[in-house]
Amino acid sequence: MRNIALQLMYVGTAYHGWQIQKNAVSVEETLEKCLELVVGHPVKCTGAGRTDAGVHARTYIANFRTDSRIPLDRLPLAVNTRLPDDIVVTRAVEVSPDFNAISSCDRKEYTYRIYNSRIRNAFFVDRAWFYPKRLDETVMAAAAERFVGTHDFAAVRSVGTDVRSTVRTVYYFEVERQGDLIDCRVCANGFLYNMVRAMVGTIVYAAEGKFPPEAVSDILEGKCRTDAGPTAPPGGLYMTRLWYHEPGLTGEEMT
């Protein structure tokens, strides 16, 4: 039985995240149904991680097992003819039997986009956080730097989520402005529920002058969610890179 890893991209606006939900449409369910039509048997996909409702992926990895001998170069084409336009499989790679899209992933990168202009842009609806008040990206970057390193990130997770540990390592948190668009790129060995969106909300609060950038260190130390900034809307968040050691598999965006 082959273990196949699929690289895909999707616009998450119409979906209740990646993971299958009882009463809502998910990316996983949509992909599995189309794969079953192609390979001729029930399919269970393992994804690189949960994405929230409305969150997008410029790149995403999911693996499944199959007895089908369909060639790898034909598999994306066959699946894409059945998928809706907002989900696209870009490539298929046969991976080792023990490969698992979530547990084999060493680190992940998300990018959060803010459309920072007095006038909203119709083309960025559900694609970026429209923020009309002028933000100073240098202050945001200074606040973002305080998140880098190994910390307890309890202050920037959704209250009530059950995890064994809230300690994570953030490798970088970069803020870059190009015109009216601000991109916030953060890479870590793992993320808590809503962690990136809360981190973005916190550096936006710093840019608004609600607290100085260096206060982020105290907020993390205090582990209190209400001390940090708000949870930014889901439509601005994109999964943008994944790291694997599997030969022939890259989690970088396809261009």
Side-chain angles (χ1 to χ4, degrees):
M1 181 171 285
R2 295 192 296 171
N3 189 11
I4 306 295
L6 300 177
Q7 185 165 357
L8 58 145
M9 62 177 73
Y10 58 84
V11 175
T13 307
Y15 302 96
H16 202 76
W18 160 262
Q19 191 168 356
I20 289 179
Q21 307 289 321
K22 288 183 178 180
N23 300 307
V25 179
S26 68
V27 178
E28 179 185 3
E29 178 185 24
T30 304
L31 177 62
E32 287 178 355
K33 286 181 177 178
C34 295
L35 278 171
E36 289 172 3
L37 295 173
V38 173
V39 300
H41 63 78
V43 166
K44 176 61 180 174
C45 289
T46 299
R50 295 185 63 170
T51 55
D52 301 340
V55 172
H56 318 294
R58 293 180 188 157
T59 187
Y60 192 89
I61 300 293
N63 71 291
F64 72 102
R65 300 178 189 276
T66 181
D67 290 321
S68 171
R69 303 314 301 173
I70 183 171
L72 293 174
D73 60 338
R74 288 180 53 196
L75 184 56
L77 298 174
V79 178
N80 286 338
T81 60
R82 294 164 171 83
L83 283 169
D85 292 342
D86 50 10
I87 304 174
V88 178
V89 175
T90 55
R91 65 196 295 247
V93 178
E94 186 165 356
V95 289
S96 57
D98 60 347
F99 175 85
N100 179 291
I102 187 166
S103 62
S104 300
C105 186
D106 291 331
R107 58 181 70 180
K108 303 171 185 177
E109 179 194 81
Y110 282 93
T111 299
Y112 194 94
R113 306 200 88 180
I114 300 172
Y115 188 72
N116 189 210
S117 172
R118 291 179 59 223
I119 305 298
R120 68 179 182 272
N121 187 319
F123 290 98
F124 287 109
V125 174
D126 294 325
R127 303 290 191 278
W129 181 10
F130 170 55
Y131 206 89
K133 185 176 181 179
R134 180 73 180 183
L135 295 171
D136 186 338
E137 65 274 15
T138 60
V139 175
M140 293 173 67
E145 183 63 28
R146 295 282 173 160
F147 284 107
V148 176
T150 301
H151 306 286
D152 188 324
F153 286 91
V156 285
R157 66 154 179 169
S158 286
V159 176
T161 51
D162 185 23
V163 291
R164 281 185 285 182
S165 173
T166 51
V167 175
R168 298 291 186 272
T169 298
V170 171
Y171 300 106
Y172 57 80
F173 190 2
E174 302 169 342
V175 180
E176 180 182 13
R177 177 188 284 273
Q178 292 185 345
D180 291 328
L181 278 173
I182 301 174
D183 280 348
C184 308
R185 286 182 298 273
V186 56
C187 173
N189 61 353
F191 292 94
L192 302 167
Y193 185 50
N194 282 343
M195 176 173 158
V196 176
R197 291 163 57 191
M199 290 167 69
V200 170
T202 300
I203 66 173
V204 165
Y205 260 27
E208 283 203 348
K210 295 184 184 298
F211 43 73
E214 54 269 23
V216 171
S217 298
D218 295 329
I219 290 170
L220 288 174
E221 187 69 25
K223 304 178 187 178
C224 179
R225 179 67 188 92
T226 56
D227 289 340
T231 301
L237 186 60
Y238 300 74
M239 181 174 281
T240 46
R241 190 175 178 188
L242 300 160
W243 280 259
Y244 293 97
H245 291 295
E246 190 73 17
L249 184 65
T250 174
E252 297 184 12
E253 290 184 60
M254 299 289 285
T255 57

